[in-house]
Amino acid sequence: MISVTGARKTYGDFVALDGVSLDIPAGSLTALLGPSGSGKSTLLRAIAGLEGLDHGRVGIGGTDVTGIPPQKRGIGFVFQHYAAFKHMTVRDNVAFGLTIRKRPKAEIARKVDDLLEIVGLDGFQHRYPAQLSGGQRQRMALARALAVDPEVLLLDEPFGALDAKVRADLRQWLRRLHDEVHVTTVLVTHDQEEALEVADRIAVLNKGAIEQVGDPVSLYDRPANDFVMSFLGSVARLGGQLVRPHDIALHRDRERAQQLDARVGGGPGVLEASVERVVRLGFEVRVDLRADTGERFAAQLTRAEADALSLEPGDTVFAHTVAPTNPAEAEPALAI
């Protein structure tokens, strides 16, 4: 397990970490999620020993490593931009950590071959980084980090420099890889979809503090506050309340909308709105709306729902919520 207690780090007047405490279970894949400047990368680097703390401590596997240098912490670190040795082949890049530790050549060869097969680079041993795609280079970087059997694997925005399709493919691959190797992994990301898809647990950071920690379902369904709700998935403001776009129902008939809204309760009521735009996004349809109060918001419908309504710009509809909109109405996951 990784244990961070009372971590504080400042850069002049800027507070990067403000008394952060966090426990990361052994064998888990935990995402540190937050906007730029929230402190997530600083926290990751403090765990790695690449940043010293002003106050607080870091423990790994029950050992206080606060004063221990990075190379003695049993850490594997993967950065966003690969940090590959351009003059070395894929095989030599992956073997680097084992080579400098003077492991036997037979052991190195066996370990490298096994890892290249695991990360899907079998047959690429003799290529150079420049001959690989971005996704392949990042998989090579992960194999190199895993080669030394780290106790902890730290990933700092590892897919941030890749295009959307490659990112999506690598997210699925990373989850499968983690399920196979079971190394305790911490992933820094600002991409909520990435965190929701990959992680067992998510810690949401904001302004150097942790807002909430929990599993993806708990955080999405029971956010501790408006910040967590707005950062973990799309939101719309309906009648002054934050609500998920897929929790907004649209009707042509005001009376029908009022009847259904009364059954749900707890929402902002029925709002009359004008359709500004209908955007088809594959199976889903986003309807951009302007309420009679002047508020702009979006509702997310299935294609069947949108087809049944036959919406066009300028049409009038009546909107209401179909799920609780106030995070305080449900018991939240662990809030810190």
Side-chain angles (χ1 to χ4, degrees), residues 26-108:
S28 69
L29 198 167
T30 298
L32 305 180
L33 176 68
S36 296
S38 61
K40 55 189 187 297
S41 288
T42 303
L43 179 56
L44 191 80
R45 293 174 66 84
I47 294 171
L50 299 174
E51 291 284 356
L53 294 173
D54 300 331
H55 302 286
R57 61 177 293 275
V58 176
I60 297 177
T63 301
D64 187 342
V65 299
T66 308
I68 296 177
Q71 63 271 25
K72 295 183 178 180
R73 293 194 182 193
I75 295 289
F77 206 115
V78 178
F79 298 91
Q80 178 176 335
H81 294 289
Y82 324 121
F85 298 112
K86 297 179 181 179
H87 64 288
M88 292 185 181
T89 63
V90 168
R91 170 179 285 280
D92 291 340
N93 263 281
V94 174
F96 180 76
L98 296 170
T99 302
I100 62 173
R101 286 169 173 78
K102 302 186 184 303
R103 305 305 302 167
K105 290 184 179 180
E107 176 188 330
I108 294 174

